[in-house]
Amino acid sequence: MTVHHSGKRPAIAGIRASLALLAALLPACLLATAASAAGLSLPPYKDALFQYGTILETRADGDFRVVDYDEMRDINGRDEVPERKAQGKYVSLKTKRVEDHLTYKVGGRSLKYVGAGATKGPAKLIVLYLHGQNGTRFQGADDWTFGGNFNRVKNLTVAAGGAYLSPDFSDFEATGTAEIKALMQDYAARSPGAPIFVACGSYGGKLCWSLARDPEAASMISGLILLGSLNDPGFLKTAAMKPGGRKIPIFIGHGSRDPIIDWKTQQAFFDSVRKKSPGYPIQFVLFQNGNHGTPIRMTDWRETLNWMLAAGGK
C-alpha cells in the first residue's frame, strides 16, 4: 500500500477497514490452499521401474521393511555406465524446460540452487534435497546418476504442480541451517499451505535434524526423508514427540552394509520413536546388502511422498 503525502491527513478509517478486510480474508485463503494440499497425491510415473522389489521381511505393522537389493541387478543391470549414467528408459528430460539455476540470499550471502517446476509460485508442494559432505547442488539435480532416481523425483514433483529444489549451503552447522530455513520461508510465503518435504543424504541429515529442532522451521516441514543418513536422539525431546504435538512424518532408508553409518543405530532410533510415541508416522526401509548410497538410488519417492501426504504432517 502506498501512502501519498498531499498535505492532508489520510483517511485512517478507510485504511483500517481495508486492513481488517484483508485480515479476514487471508485465513480463508490459507485454509483453502492447505485443504487442496491435503488431498494431493502424486500420480504414477515409471512405477514399474522404480517401485520396490521383493519384500523379504516386515516388522512393526509394516512400517519397517527389509527390501531385496542386488548390486549386479540394481546397478550394473540398470545403468548404461555403472554409477555414472542410467539407461535411457529410467530418465525423462522434459523437466529441463522448467528447470533453472537460481540464487537465494541470506544475511548478505548469495547462494545458488537448482530449481525445477513452480519456482516462481504458487507451488502445490515443495521438495528439497540436501546433499552430504563433499556434495553440491548438482547432486540432487543430476538426471543420470543414482539410477535416474533424482530425475524421477523431479518429474513427480513437477507433474504435481510442485517445486523441486537442490540448494548449496555454507555448512552443516548453524549457518547452513539458517540458510535452508530462509529458503523454506521464501517458498512458504510464495505458496501458503503447500507441504514442504526435506530430504537429506548422508551427512546432510545433520541439517534435517537441526531444522526439525527449530520450532519455526519445523512448523513448515511436512516430512523428513533420511537417505543413508543420521539420527538425532534430541528429536525425542521436541514438541513433535509430545502428546498433542504436530507429528512430522519421518522416512529412513538405509543399507544393511553401510560402512559409514550402522543401520542398527537407525533401527534403535526408529524403535525409540515408536516406544515414546506409539503410532508416530515413521517408516524404515532397510535395503538388504545395500551400501551407503543405496537408499538414494533405490528409495521409492512416489510411495514415500504419498505416504507423507496422507499422514498429514502439515
Side-chain angles (χ1 to χ4, degrees):
M1 179 177 61
T2 302
V3 178
H4 299 281
H5 298 278
S6 60
K8 297 181 180 180
R9 289 178 60 84
I12 299 297
I15 293 173
R16 287 175 175 167
S18 297
L19 291 174
L21 178 61
L22 179 61
L25 291 175
L26 187 56
C29 294
L30 294 178
L31 286 172
T33 307
S36 63
L40 184 63
S41 179
L42 305 181
Y45 178 79
K46 297 183 182 287
D47 285 11
L49 295 175
F50 287 95
Q51 63 191 7
Y52 297 131
T54 303
I55 307 298
L56 302 176
E57 184 182 351
T58 59
R59 312 173 193 170
D61 298 326
D63 286 331
F64 189 113
R65 289 172 288 172
V66 182
V67 176
D68 179 49
Y69 171 79
D70 180 84
E71 187 173 302
M72 290 299 294
R73 179 192 64 218
D74 296 318
I75 294 182
N76 294 53
R78 180 168 169 174
D79 290 358
E80 181 179 319
V81 180
E83 298 188 330
R84 293 177 180 242
K85 185 178 181 182
Q87 294 179 21
K89 64 181 179 180
Y90 289 89
V91 173
S92 170
L93 298 179
K94 62 184 179 181
T95 59
K96 292 297 185 184
R97 292 173 292 184
V98 289
E99 182 176 317
D100 204 353
H101 291 267
L102 305 167
T103 300
Y104 70 109
K105 295 184 178 182
V106 185
R109 300 181 298 278
S110 293
L111 300 111
K112 296 184 181 299
Y113 68 101
V114 179
T119 55
K120 296 180 181 178
K124 291 186 178 179
L125 75 158
I126 296 124
V127 179
L128 283 88
Y129 174 76
L130 307 181
H131 63 76
Q133 284 185 319
N134 303 317
T136 70
R137 66 186 183 279
F138 297 110
Q139 184 187 70
D142 195 314
D143 295 292
W144 297 99
T145 56
F146 294 101
N149 213 14
F150 283 123
N151 179 263
R152 187 189 189 212
V153 69
K154 278 198 286 187
N155 275 279
L156 285 167
T157 305
V158 170
Y164 175 79
L165 315 176
S166 182
D168 282 337
F169 42 88
S170 297
D171 59 27
F172 297 93
E173 306 299 334
T175 299
T177 301
E179 290 166 353
I180 299 304
K181 176 181 173 180
L183 182 61
M184 290 168 54
Q185 289 172 323
D186 181 22
Y187 272 82
R190 301 184 205 185
S191 306
I196 299 177
F197 303 102
V198 185
C200 296
S202 188
Y203 200 68
K206 191 168 184 182
L207 285 177
C208 259
W209 294 117
S210 294
L211 292 165
R213 282 187 270 107
D214 181 299
E216 289 182 336
S219 69
M220 296 183 281
I221 297 174
S222 292
L224 292 175
I225 301 169
L226 288 306
L227 305 173
S229 194
L230 309 166
N231 64 67
D232 178 19
F235 181 76
L236 298 172
K237 300 178 182 179
T238 64
M241 297 299 299
K242 296 177 181 178
R246 178 176 169 274
K247 310 301 183 187
I248 300 174
I250 299 170
F251 173 88
I252 299 170
H254 218 84
S256 70
R257 293 196 303 113
D258 188 328
I260 299 173
I261 303 170
D262 189 344
W263 73 271
K264 292 180 181 178
T265 65
Q266 300 300 84
Q267 181 190 15
F269 176 76
F270 173 90
D271 292 339
S272 295
V273 171
R274 275 299 178 82
K275 182 178 180 180
K276 184 164 185 178
S277 180
Y280 192 99
I282 183 170
Q283 289 190 349
F284 194 126
V285 171
L286 177 67
F287 296 96
Q288 187 66 38
N289 296 317
N291 214 307
H292 187 58
T294 300
I296 296 177
R297 169 179 285 265
M298 300 301 296
T299 291
D300 186 335
W301 283 100
R302 178 171 178 259
E303 182 193 272
T304 300
L305 291 171
N306 276 343
W307 166 69
M308 289 181 167
L309 286 165
K314 193 65 182 174

